[in-house]
Amino acid sequence: MTAVTHTSKSTIATTSTVNLLMQQSQALYEAGQFMEAVQLLKKAASEFKANNDVLNEAISLSNLSLAYQKLGKWQEATEAIAQSIKLLHTLKDSESSQEKSQIFAQALDVQGGLELARGQTEAALSTWQEAAKIYQQLDDTSALIRNRINQAQAMQALGNYLQAHKTLISVQKILQKQPDSSLKATGLHSLGNVLRSLGYLNDSHKILEESYSVARRVGDAIAQSNALLSLGNTARAETYAQVNLGNSKSADDYTKTAIQYYQQAVQIASATPTVRLQAQLNLLRLLVQKESSTAKTLLSQIQSQINNLPPSRTTVNYRINFAQSLSKMIQNEVQPKDIAKMLAQAVEVAKSLKDERSESYALGSLGELYEQSGQLSDAKGLTQQALVKAESIDAQDIAYQWHWQIGRILQKQSNIPAATAAYNRAYSALKSLRNDLVAINPDVQFSFRESIERVYREYVDLLLQLEENTNQKSDNLLQARQVIESLQLAELDNFFRSPCLLPRVDLDQLIGKEKSTAVIYPIILDNRLEIITRLPGQDAIYRNTTKISKNILEKTVEQLQKDLPVASREPDVKQYSQQLYDWLIKPIEANLANKNINTLVFVLDGALRNIPMAILYDKEQQKYLIEKYAISLAPGLQLIDPKPLQNIRLNVLVAGIEQERLIEGQSFSELSNVTQELKQVQSVVKTSKKLLNQDFTEINLEKQIQSTPFSVVHLATHGQFSSDVEQTYILTWDNLLKVRELDNLLRTRGESRPETIELLVLSACKTATGDKRAALGLAGVAVRAGARSTLATLWTIDDESTSKFMGELYRQLDAGVTKAQALQRAQLAILAKENRPYFWAPYVLVGNWL
C-alpha cells in the first residue's frame, strides 16, 4: 500500500470548503481508525450530495476509497473511486477548472493505488501517467514527485527496472534543484523508502541521508525523525542481505548501524510519538537477540506507550510487533501468559474497529504463541479463526501464513496427510501472490528464507514422507519436483524484486524425445538428501535418499567451493568431489546405465548450485563426471523454447575488456588473454563483430544487439554473480552493467528483432567470494537475459587455457553437436593436457542444452 500512502496526504488534505466532518475523518484515517473514518466519510458524501456540492462529494468519495482499501474492502473501494471520477466528469471545464483538475488528478492517484494493490499493474501505471499529465499542466511539482514515485513502483512490478530506476533518478534531480524545505525532505524520504523496496539499498541510504540533512537544515524535527527511522530500516535490510551473503561480520556492523539510527530517532521524535514508538519497536526487535539488558530497559517504556494509545490499526500492529519481540526473549524474563494477554487485547481492539485484516493477524499471532508453547489444540482453533478472517477479505498474503501454521500444528499432531493438505493450500496461496508478494511486506523481501523458503521445503519433506506410505508414489514425486522448481522461481522473484514472467516448457515432454538425457533434482532437507531422477520413458521417475545432514553436506560443498579456484588444492578438491559423487550420483548410477544416458541436466538446490557438477569424482572408475556425461543446468521448467542449435548459423558478437580499469571505486585487473580469446572465437566462426576495450560500452553493445541478429553474444570481461542483485554485474569500458540493466538491454532486442540469442557466453566472470547463494545471480542472469542458454565461469581464469577452451567450444558448436556436448568436449580437451580442475572445471551451461 505504499503508493496509496503517498497519495493519501495530498488527497485527504482537501480544499478550504471542507467542513469539520472531513477534518475529523482525516484525523481518524491518519490514526489508523479506518472504520470510523468510513462512517464519517459516507456521512460527508451524503451531505455534499444533498447540497449539490459535487467537488467535495468527489473528494469525500476518493477518501472513502482510501479508507476501504486500508480495510481490504476492494469492491467497496472500487465503487467509491469510480463514483468519484464519474462525478468529476459531470462538471463542466469552466466550473472551478483548476481546482477540478487538481481533485481529478488526486482521484486518479487513488485509483492507481487501488489498481496496484489488486494486481492490475499495467492499469495502475496508465492511470498514474494520466494523472501526471494534469500535474504537469498545473505545475504542481510536489504532487508530480509523489506520482512519479508511484509510477516507479508499478514499472518495477512489471519488470521494467531500467525505466523504474530512470524515473527515480529524474525525481531525485527535481528534488535536488529545489531549495531546502520540509517538502523537499519529505520527497527525498519517500524516494529513499521506495529505493529500499526495490532493493537499491546503497541508493536508499544516500537519499535518506540527504533527506535527514535537509530536515536538519530547515529545523523540521518530524522530518528528521522520519528519515532516521527509515535509515534504520534500510540498515536492517542490509543486515538481512549480508546474512544471505554469509557475511556475518558485515551483518553485525549493519545491525549496530541500524540500532544507532533507531536510537537517534527515539531521541528527537518527541513531537511524533508514533515515530518514536515505531523506532523503539524496531530497536527492540534487534536488541532481543543482542543485548538483553538494553532490551529490558525498553520494555517498560514501550508497554506504557502502547497502553495509552487510542484504538486503531496502528495500535493493533504495535501490540503484535511488541508481542513477537517478547516471545523471542528468554522465557524467565517474559511469561508467555503476559504475551498472550497482549495479543488477546490486540484481537479485541481489532474487533472493536471491525478491521478483519488486523483481527486475522492478531488471532494468527496468538495461535503461533500457543503453537510454540505446545498448546496445539488452542493454537489450531485460533489459527483457523484467523484464516477465516483473512479469506473473507481475500488477504492471501496473510492467509498463506495461517495455512502454513495449521500444517505445522497438524504435523506435530502426527496427522501427516492433513498437514500435507494444509501445506498445499499455503503453497497455492504463495503461487497466487507471485505478482504482489514483493510489494506487500518489505520485511518479507529481506527474510525470504524464513518467511517463504521454509514453506516450500517443509512441504516437499511432507510429500516425500507421504510418498513412503501411499500408492500415489508417482503423483507425490511429481508434486515434490514441481514445488522445488517453484521455490527456485520464487527465489528469482525475490532476487529481482519482481516476478519472472517466462514461457514455460514441458520438460517431461522434452525428455521423452531426448532418449539419452536424464534430469536430476537433488533436494536438500535437514536430515537427508533426496534425489528425484526423471529418465526417458513413460512415468520413469525415481526417488533415492542419501542419509546425510544438511549441515555436513553444506560444509563439504563450502570447502570444495573454496578450494576449487586454487590451482594447488587438487588433492583436497578430489577428496570432496568424491564424497559428493557418492552422495549424489552413486545412488542413481544403475538407473543411468540401464537407460544408456549420455547427458545429465541438473535442477540444483541450495548450496549445490555453487559448484560445477562436472567436478564430481568417481573413485572406482577414476573419472570425473564430465568424462562420463555431458552436463547442463536448468532452472526448473523455465526454458526458453528449447530448439537445437544444429540448424542455426553461428553469428557471434564478441566483446571484451583487456586493460586494467577503475570503475565505481573498484579496481579490475588486466585480463591479458582477452584479445587472444576473441581471436580464437573469430577464427572459428565465419561471421562476427568485435567490441574491444574502449569500443565495449553499454551504448555500443545495445546498438549491435539491436541492429544485427547475432546467434551468440560472447563477453570476455570481469563480472560477478551474487545473491545481491546490486552486486551482480558485467564490466564494460566505462561502467558496471548491473544484471537489471543487462536484462533490459537484451530484452530490448526482443522488441526490435524477433530472433532469440541462442547462447550468451560470460567469460572471466566469477561468483562473489563468501556468498553462499552467489549462484542465484548466475541463475538470474540466465533466466532474464532472454538467451536460450548461458555459458559462464564460476571463477576467473586469465590463462591461455581459456582461449584454447573457447576455440574448441566453437569448433564443436560449428560441427553440429549439442551445446552440452560441445562444452563437454571442450573441457575434455583441456583436461587431457591439464588435469587440474582449476583450469577446466569453472564452465557451466545454464538453460537449453540442445
Side-chain angles (χ1 to χ4, degrees):
M1 297 297 288
T2 308
V4 174
T5 303
H6 290 313
T7 60
S8 66
K9 291 177 182 176
S10 62
T11 308
I12 286 188
T14 54
T15 65
S16 59
T17 59
V18 178
N19 62 17
L20 182 62
L21 206 59
M22 292 292 284
Q23 294 172 12
Q24 289 173 336
S25 68
Q26 178 183 348
L28 289 166
Y29 180 94
E30 291 178 347
Q33 296 173 271
F34 304 120
M35 186 55 73
E36 287 85 348
V38 162
Q39 299 307 320
L40 287 184
L41 286 164
K42 287 167 74 175
K43 187 176 179 182
S46 296
E47 289 190 15
F48 289 133
K49 185 175 184 178
N51 293 326
N52 200 29
D53 187 346
V54 177
L55 273 180
N56 276 325
E57 184 185 355
I59 290 170
S60 59
L61 287 167
S62 291
N63 294 336
L64 180 60
S65 177
L66 279 172
Y68 275 136
Q69 288 178 52
K70 288 292 188 182
L71 290 167
K73 295 183 179 295
W74 306 117
Q75 188 59 40
E76 293 90 335
T78 302
E79 290 170 0
I81 195 60
Q83 194 177 348
S84 174
I85 290 172
K86 184 178 179 181
L87 280 172
L88 290 166
H89 278 306
T90 64
L91 286 174
K92 296 178 182 177
D93 288 339
S94 58
E95 296 181 33
S96 307
S97 181
Q98 185 164 344
E99 190 175 21
K100 175 203 164 183
S101 296
Q102 186 82 29
I103 294 166
F104 183 61
Q106 292 170 348
L108 289 173
D109 275 347
V110 174
Q111 183 180 353
L114 175 59
E115 288 164 340
L116 185 69
R118 301 199 73 178
Q120 299 163 354
T121 314
E122 290 184 3
L125 181 57
S126 177
T127 300
W128 279 326
Q129 287 171 339
E130 187 181 348
K133 292 176 184 175
I134 299 172
Y135 290 134
Q136 284 173 323
Q137 291 170 358
L138 296 172
D139 198 24
D140 188 341
T141 303
S142 59
L144 188 60
I145 287 169
R146 284 189 291 268
N147 175 280
R148 283 184 173 161
I149 289 172
N150 291 340
Q151 285 189 47
Q153 288 186 288
M155 292 168 187
Q156 172 260 342
L158 289 168
N160 299 331
Y161 306 107
L162 193 58
Q163 192 179 356
H165 201 229
K166 284 180 178 176
T167 299
L168 292 174
I169 294 299
S170 71
V171 169
Q172 182 183 359
K173 288 178 180 176
I174 293 170
L175 285 168
Q176 286 175 336
K177 289 177 182 176
Q178 291 186 330
D180 284 351
S181 66
S182 293
L183 176 64
K184 181 177 181 179
T186 302
L188 289 167
H189 175 249
S190 298
L191 177 57
N193 285 338
V194 173
L195 285 165
R196 179 176 63 250
S197 75
L198 296 181
Y200 294 103
L201 299 184
N202 289 337
D203 291 343
S204 171
H205 179 86
K206 290 175 186 175
I207 295 297
L208 290 170
E209 282 279 15
E210 191 177 348
S211 172
Y212 175 62
S213 298
V214 171
R216 281 191 67 186
R217 288 196 291 270
V218 299
D220 188 334
I222 294 175
Q224 287 179 61
S225 57
N226 279 323
L228 287 167
L229 174 61
S230 291
L231 279 164
N233 293 340
T234 295
R236 187 158 64 105
E238 285 279 18
T239 299
Y240 287 127
Q242 294 303 316
V243 168
N244 284 338
L245 290 170
N247 297 338
S248 56
K249 186 180 183 305
S250 294
D252 287 341
D253 291 341
Y254 278 113
T255 299
K256 290 173 185 174
T257 301
I259 288 171
Q260 289 169 358
Y261 281 129
Y262 289 143
Q263 288 172 334
Q264 284 181 269
V266 170
Q267 288 171 6
I268 67 168
S270 56
T272 48
T274 55
V275 173
R276 180 180 68 241
L277 184 53
Q278 186 64 66
Q280 287 175 318
L281 287 165
N282 290 0
L283 180 59
L284 183 64
R285 284 211 154 189
L286 294 174
L287 290 177
V288 288
Q289 297 168 338
K290 297 284 180 184
E291 307 169 34
S292 59
S293 59
T294 312
K296 282 189 285 186
T297 306
L298 268 178
L299 293 183
S300 58
Q301 296 174 11
I302 294 173
Q303 181 77 65
S304 61
Q305 291 176 78
I306 286 180
N307 289 339
N308 292 326
L309 288 174
S312 69
R313 172 180 283 189
T314 303
T315 301
V316 176
N317 290 338
Y318 283 168
R319 287 182 182 276
I320 295 170
N321 188 329
F322 189 36
Q324 288 172 339
S325 291
L326 292 178
S327 67
K328 294 177 182 176
M329 298 188 72
I330 301 170
Q331 289 296 313
N332 60 9
E333 292 182 4
V334 181
Q335 295 298 317
K337 64 179 182 180
D338 295 328
I339 303 172
K341 183 179 178 182
M342 178 167 295
L343 287 170
Q345 289 170 342
V347 172
E348 291 307 312
V349 172
K351 279 183 178 177
S352 71
L353 296 169
K354 297 181 181 178
D355 186 341
E356 291 174 313
R357 183 182 178 89
S358 295
E359 187 181 348
S360 172
Y361 203 60
L363 282 165
S365 298
L366 185 55
E368 183 181 15
L369 180 67
Y370 279 120
E371 179 202 354
Q372 290 170 352
S373 61
Q375 297 169 266
L376 299 182
S377 179
D378 290 336
K380 184 179 174 184
L382 286 162
T383 309
Q384 286 172 332
Q385 290 179 53
L387 183 57
V388 169
K389 291 291 180 185
E391 292 191 325
S392 72
I393 58 170
D394 196 27
Q396 293 299 311
D397 58 307
I398 51 177
Y400 93 84
Q401 297 178 58
W402 309 146
H403 285 304
W404 177 25
Q405 195 157 291
I406 289 170
R408 295 196 308 268
I409 293 165
L410 288 166
Q411 186 177 12
K412 289 173 182 175
Q413 293 176 327
S414 300
N415 190 344
I416 301 302
T420 306
Y423 267 90
N424 178 256
R425 288 189 286 272
Y427 165 68
S428 298
L430 278 172
K431 285 208 299 183
S432 75
L433 278 171
R434 279 195 61 216
N435 292 330
D436 308 313
L437 188 61
V438 169
I440 283 166
N441 182 354
D443 281 346
V444 168
Q445 299 171 356
F446 300 109
S447 58
F448 177 86
R449 295 172 75 176
E450 285 299 310
S451 303
I452 309 296
E453 183 176 342
R454 279 183 56 199
V455 181
Y456 288 91
R457 292 200 180 281
E458 290 167 10
Y459 181 31
V460 168
D461 196 346
L462 284 171
L463 282 168
L464 294 175
Q465 286 183 47
L466 202 60
E467 189 264 349
E468 295 171 357
N469 305 299
T470 181
N471 293 325
Q472 297 178 312
K473 292 182 182 294
S474 179
D475 290 346
N476 285 326
L477 286 181
L478 289 170
Q479 178 67 356
R481 187 186 65 164
Q482 179 66 51
V483 173
I484 211 69
E485 287 175 341
S486 296
L487 170 59
Q488 295 197 338
L489 192 56
E491 285 181 308
L492 289 171
D493 289 350
N494 185 65
F495 176 74
F496 279 106
R497 301 285 189 269
S498 180
C500 297
L501 302 175
L502 293 170
R504 296 180 70 87
V505 174
D506 190 333
L507 203 55
D508 285 344
Q509 286 186 9
L510 194 59
I511 295 303
K513 297 174 185 176
E514 297 299 315
K515 302 298 185 184
S516 58
T517 301
V519 183
I520 301 170
Y521 302 79
I523 303 172
I524 303 171
L525 299 174
D526 286 341
N527 61 349
R528 65 194 190 279
L529 174 67
E530 295 280 4
I531 305 149
I532 298 177
T533 311
R534 178 69 170 91
L535 297 172
Q538 192 171 6
D539 298 326
I541 184 166
Y542 303 92
R543 171 196 176 192
N544 297 85
T545 304
T546 300
K547 294 291 184 181
I548 183 69
S549 76
K550 178 182 178 182
N551 287 340
I552 292 176
L553 175 66
E554 288 184 344
K555 284 179 182 176
T556 304
V557 172
E558 183 179 355
Q559 195 57 55
L560 177 58
Q561 185 185 8
K562 285 180 181 176
D563 290 345
L564 271 168
V566 183
S568 61
R569 301 299 292 270
E570 186 190 353
D572 294 324
V573 166
K574 191 168 283 188
Q575 177 188 338
Y576 295 121
S577 298
Q578 178 193 326
Q579 183 65 79
L580 286 167
Y581 182 96
D582 290 346
W583 290 336
L584 187 57
I585 304 298
K586 206 171 187 63
I588 63 175
E589 275 182 329
N591 286 337
L592 298 176
N594 290 339
K595 292 285 187 177
N596 295 316
I597 299 298
N598 63 27
T599 301
L600 302 181
V601 178
F602 288 91
V603 183
L604 292 174
D605 183 31
L608 290 169
R609 286 178 289 195
N610 289 335
I611 56 171
M613 290 294 101
I615 199 69
L616 303 190
Y617 187 70
D618 181 353
K619 187 178 181 181
E620 291 179 7
Q621 295 187 18
Q622 295 191 347
K623 287 184 177 180
Y624 289 102
L625 195 62
I626 196 63
E627 296 179 84
K628 300 164 70 173
Y629 303 98
I631 296 170
S632 178
L633 308 179
L637 297 176
Q638 307 308 306
L639 293 177
I640 298 177
D641 192 17
K643 296 177 181 177
L645 186 62
Q646 287 92 322
N647 302 325
I648 296 170
R649 181 173 61 89
L650 288 183
N651 179 16
V652 184
L653 171 64
V654 293
I657 305 292
E658 187 169 57
Q659 297 178 16
E660 181 180 354
R661 302 298 295 153
L662 180 63
I663 305 289
E664 293 187 20
Q666 295 187 61
S667 178
F668 296 93
S669 61
E670 177 189 0
L671 293 171
S672 57
N673 287 283
V674 163
T675 298
Q676 184 181 352
E677 177 180 334
L678 300 188
K679 283 181 179 177
Q680 276 276 9
V681 175
Q682 289 186 292
S683 69
V684 176
V685 180
K686 296 181 177 66
T687 309
S688 64
K689 172 70 177 179
K690 182 170 71 174
L691 299 174
L692 182 62
N693 292 330
Q694 293 93 330
D695 293 332
F696 180 18
T697 64
E698 182 178 345
I699 293 173
N700 287 344
L701 182 64
E702 185 172 9
K703 282 180 182 176
Q704 289 297 328
I705 288 174
Q706 288 186 4
S707 64
T708 307
F710 293 108
S711 57
V712 180
V713 175
H714 183 114
L715 308 179
T717 179
H718 287 287
Q720 179 173 270
F721 307 114
S722 168
S723 60
D724 179 353
V725 69
E726 284 299 280
Q727 297 302 317
T728 299
Y729 57 81
I730 305 296
L731 176 71
T732 63
W733 179 254
D734 51 3
N735 75 339
L736 299 184
L737 182 58
K738 304 288 177 65
V739 62
R740 282 169 162 160
E741 283 68 46
L742 177 68
D743 166 26
N744 279 272
L745 184 151
L746 293 175
R747 282 196 294 133
T748 303
R749 165 203 174 99
E751 298 164 7
S752 60
R753 306 196 63 88
E755 303 90 350
T756 301
I757 297 172
E758 297 296 327
L759 181 63
L760 172 66
V761 179
L762 302 174
S763 175
C765 294
K766 64 177 183 178
T767 53
T769 305
D771 184 349
K772 293 180 180 179
R773 299 162 74 88
L776 184 62
L778 171 55
V781 171
V783 166
R784 296 302 294 262
R788 294 194 207 279
S789 314
T790 299
L791 178 70
T793 55
L794 296 181
W795 59 88
T796 303
I797 312 170
D798 182 28
D799 183 85
E800 190 178 346
S801 63
T802 301
S803 57
K804 291 179 179 177
F805 168 88
M806 291 299 174
E808 184 62 28
L809 174 75
Y810 284 95
R811 274 189 288 275
Q812 294 296 334
L813 289 173
D814 196 45
V817 302
T818 68
K819 296 170 190 171
Q821 289 170 338
L823 171 61
Q824 179 191 26
R825 295 177 186 182
Q827 287 182 297
L828 292 178
I830 302 300
L831 190 151
K833 298 175 182 176
E834 176 53 78
N835 191 51
R836 286 179 294 177
Y838 169 80
F839 293 99
W840 58 262
Y843 306 98
V844 292
L845 179 68
V846 183
N848 171 25
W849 64 91
L850 298 177

